[in-house]
Structure formats: structure tokens, C-alpha cells
Amino acid sequence: MTNATAPPQPRAHTLRSVLPVLALCWVAVFFDGMDVTIYGAVMPHMLDDPGLGLTPASAGTIGSWTTFGMLIGALTAGTVTDWLGRRPMLVASIVLFSAGSAVCALAGDLVLFGAGRFVSGLGLGGLMPLCLAMVLEFAPPRRAALMTGLLMTSYHVGGMTATGLGIGLAPTAGWRWVFWAGVLPAVVAVPLLLALLPESPGVLLARGQRDRADAVADRYGLARPTPAAASTAGALGRVAAVRALFRPESRWVTPLLWAASFCGLLLVYGVATWLPTMMRASGYGLDSSVAFLMVINAGGIVGLLISGRLADRFGPLRIAAIWFVLTAVGALLLRAHLPLGVTYVVVAVTGVWLFSAQVMVYAATGAVYQGAERAAGLGLVTGVGRIGAVVGPWLVGALAAAGNQSWGFTTFAVAGILGSVAVVLVPLAARLGRPGAPAGAPAAASAAAVGE
């Protein structure tokens, strides 16, 4: 006889079983990419608006206010998540950057506009590491890089949507209506996340909710969480998690990942903020200059689909190192004024390398740190990397104010080379900490991440 009271068997842990989590995080990151790119997409129109008083120098400063807010959001998201959980924190992040977009749409002066971008940055900074941590926690181990790449395609679809709004809406209705479109995440994404996104099993276990943690794990085919996979809540737990990143086996790996993330996010946010304006200053028309932003994001989508599969086979660090170098080559080519058709091709292929280089740094971080260390490691890699996101828009803005916008491309090339050097050194740093490290320690994971 069949035992009718036998507990249901857990689902197999496959990409299909965790697809709902990936899809919901995809929607959240879509709106992240849309909000980040809106400013760069409408900046040429804002510079032409005499009532606002925006100049190249103040435009760069405001871009840095956004990314400074993102830095604070990324560094505080982990501690607030201990209190709220990941799902409520994701919702709060979306509400914040939607509210910031509304402030920008209403702003009558640069101070209020900058305050709106800072508020948006607070929400944006917390969202990305939370979505990455969720996807990596739910991902099948052999599909972690692929799922990370699939997640980040949404960022570029969002960026392309913002660019389309900048091209189609800003010239006729004005740049403010593009920022009103940035309020949509609070209307669309928040109800979906509240209704459908599960809470992290590790977070539930850390909060003492063992039955709920096991139920979520069984529903999505995950292994049931153990105390080693659950971080200790509160300030002491946060400090302990950060200290664990500097154990002998990972003390040199951690700063190298931070350096690679700094370079990667300098590139991502420098390009997202300044590419249309830089291309316009190089002699291209206004519509073409804004369209370049859409083209580079389209290249980013292709690059993520390619890099995710390659990284699962060869290791994300190898792919990131190559991609950073190719980004540097593309940036130097863009400094030359090429025929329009050739420039579109160069911009597209540069997008293939530029954005997925940074995403592969995230994928490698998820492989380097294990269990409860992963959320802290991702939070700090994204958080410290946000310093590059602050520096990029400000530095290119300073160059633009001095009439040296073409040097922005050289700055991007240098960042690509330095990012590649940092990534290449990670396996060496892992080997330096390997003697005496127990099996499964971060150093061993680092070696696996590069495909050793």
C-alpha cells in the first residue's frame, strides 16, 4: 500500500525549478538599469534647458551624487536586511528609487534634482547586491555564472528602454516626463515581489524560522539550509562576516576583487552617464549620440549571454580578465572619429565586453565566498565598487568642464587594463593563502572559480 501521509519529495534543483526567482529578480534589475540610464539618456536635453542651469561640471557632480547614494545603499543594505529580510528590503529599494525619480521630475533647481538622484541612488545601491545574492543562493552550482548573466541582461534591457524614452519622449514632451516614467517600478514591480518572491532560506534560518526555511528550500529544489549557511543577524554578525573575508586564505583575494569591481563600475557608470554627451562632443549628431547608449546596452545583452556560458565552462575570472582588456581596446577606438556605421559597430562590440566584465567579477565573488560569507562578500564587492561608480561620472565631468572630453575614453581604457590586472592576480592570491586551508575554504573556491 502507498503511504498517503509520506512527506512530498523535494523538487530537483534545476534551472527550471528556480526560474520564478530569476524572473522576479530580472524585473527588479530591469527597473534598476532603467533608472540608472535615464540621466545619461536625457542629459543632452537637460544641458540645452536654460531654465535648469545644468553645466558639464554640475552634470558630473550630480552623477556622482547618484552613485554616492548607491555606495551608502550598498554598504547598509546587509545590516537592514538582517531586520527586514531580503524581500522587504528589495521592495523598499524600489520604492526609494521610484520616489527619487518623482523628485527629479518635479525639481525646479539643481539642488532638488541632485537630492532626487541621491535618493534614487540609495535604493539602487541596495537592490543589486540583494538580487545577486538571491540568484546565487537559488542557482544550481553549475549554472551560477549563467544565471548571473541572465539576471544582468535585464539591466541592459532597462537601459535600452530608458534610452528609447530619451529619444522618443524627451524631444517632444520634455526631459521631465522621462523621469516620471521612472516612477513605474513602484507600481509594477512592488506588487509582484510582495506576492510572488520567496524569502531567502538562509535568512529565514538565521531568524529562527526553521520550518519556513525548509519549506522554501524544498519548493525550489535547494538543499535545506544549515547554520553554516545562515549569517548571524545584527551588528556583531555583520562584523564577523566581514572579518571572515580577511582570513588567511582570502585576505589578498578580497582587496583584488574590490579593485576589479572599482574599475568595472567606473566603466559602467562613467559610460552610462557620459557616453551620449562625449559622442556629441566628438562631432556626432544629438540623435545618434543618444542612440549609441541603446546600442552599447544591446551589445551588453549579447555579451552577458555569451560570457555566462563561457564562464560556466572556463571560470568567470578568466572571462573577466579577457573582457576587461577588450573593453580597453574598444574605448581607445571610440576616441577616434570613425565613420558613423563603423562607430555603431565599435560601440556595440564594446558593450559586449564592458558590462559583462563587471558581471563576471560578481559571478567569481559568488564562487570565492561560501555559505554565510557570500552575502557579505557580494555586498562589499558591490559597495566598494560603487566608489568607482562615484569617481567615473565625476572624473569625466571634470574632463568635460576643462574641454578634454576625449580623454574620457582614455580614462575608460586605463580602467579596463587595471581591472584585468586585478582579476589576473586573484588566482595567485588564492594560492598564497591555500597552504593549510581546509577543504571547501574560500581559497579552494577561488581556484575553482578560475577553472584550475
Side-chain angles (χ1 to χ4, degrees), residues 90-433:
L90 278 174
V91 170
S93 297
I94 291 172
V95 170
L96 266 177
F97 69 72
S98 296
S101 192
V103 171
C104 290
L106 294 168
D109 56 56
L110 293 182
V111 173
L112 187 57
F113 182 86
R117 292 306 291 164
F118 176 77
V119 171
S120 291
L122 290 174
L124 294 166
L127 186 141
M128 186 66 74
L130 287 168
C131 284
L132 285 166
M134 285 288 287
V135 166
L136 285 168
E137 181 178 7
F138 279 78
R142 293 183 179 275
R143 292 290 180 263
L146 176 61
M147 282 190 66
T148 303
L150 290 173
L151 171 69
M152 293 304 296
T153 60
S154 62
Y155 180 93
H156 302 291
V157 176
M160 293 174 68
T161 302
T163 306
L165 291 170
I167 293 173
L169 192 59
T172 55
W175 60 265
R176 295 180 186 276
W177 280 102
V178 182
F179 281 100
W180 279 121
V183 181
L184 287 175
V187 179
V188 176
V190 166
L192 287 173
L193 294 176
L194 287 175
L196 301 173
L197 185 69
E199 183 54 273
S200 154
V203 169
L204 290 172
L205 182 60
R207 298 167 73 178
Q209 299 174 326
R210 159 63 75 179
D211 290 344
R212 285 188 62 196
D214 289 347
V216 172
D218 292 347
R219 188 186 318 147
Y220 292 93
L222 280 64
R224 291 186 172 186
T226 63
S231 58
T232 304
L236 290 178
R238 189 63 46 191
V239 171
V242 173
R243 288 179 61 188
L245 305 180
F246 288 91
R247 293 186 301 180
E249 53 266 32
S250 58
R251 66 173 50 151
W252 299 114
V253 171
T254 293
L256 286 170
L257 289 172
W258 290 359
S261 184
F262 173 94
C263 294
L265 288 177
L266 185 153
L267 286 163
V268 168
Y269 289 96
V271 167
T273 303
W274 280 104
L275 182 64
T277 304
M278 290 168 63
M279 299 305 283
R280 190 182 184 189
S282 296
Y284 298 96
L286 176 58
D287 289 343
S288 296
S289 297
V290 177
F292 287 134
L293 198 56
M294 180 174 287
V295 171
I296 202 167
N297 276 288
I301 294 172
V302 174
L304 288 166
L305 296 174
I306 295 171
S307 63
R309 288 187 174 275
L310 291 175
D312 280 333
R313 181 174 180 181
F314 300 108
L317 286 175
R318 283 194 181 125
I319 303 305
I322 296 169
W323 264 222
F324 270 123
V325 171
L326 292 172
T327 297
V329 173
L332 290 176
L333 287 173
L334 288 177
R335 186 173 179 179
H337 187 89
L338 302 170
L340 183 60
V342 177
T343 302
Y344 274 120
V345 173
V346 173
V347 169
V349 296
T350 301
V352 170
W353 322 127
L354 187 155
F355 297 105
S356 49
Q358 174 63 20
V359 174
M360 290 303 101
V361 174
Y362 293 148
T365 302
V368 166
Y369 302 119
Q370 304 297 298
E373 296 174 11
R374 180 175 290 146
L378 278 168
L380 282 170
V381 164
T382 55
V384 175
R386 297 294 183 194
I387 299 173
V390 173
V391 170
W394 167 81
L395 180 57
V396 180
L399 292 171
N404 296 317
Q405 288 189 355
S406 63
W407 281 95
F409 295 114
T410 304
T411 301
F412 296 150
V414 171
I417 295 299
L418 292 177
S420 181
V421 170
V423 167
V424 166
L425 290 176
V426 167
L428 175 62
R431 284 194 291 270
L432 289 175

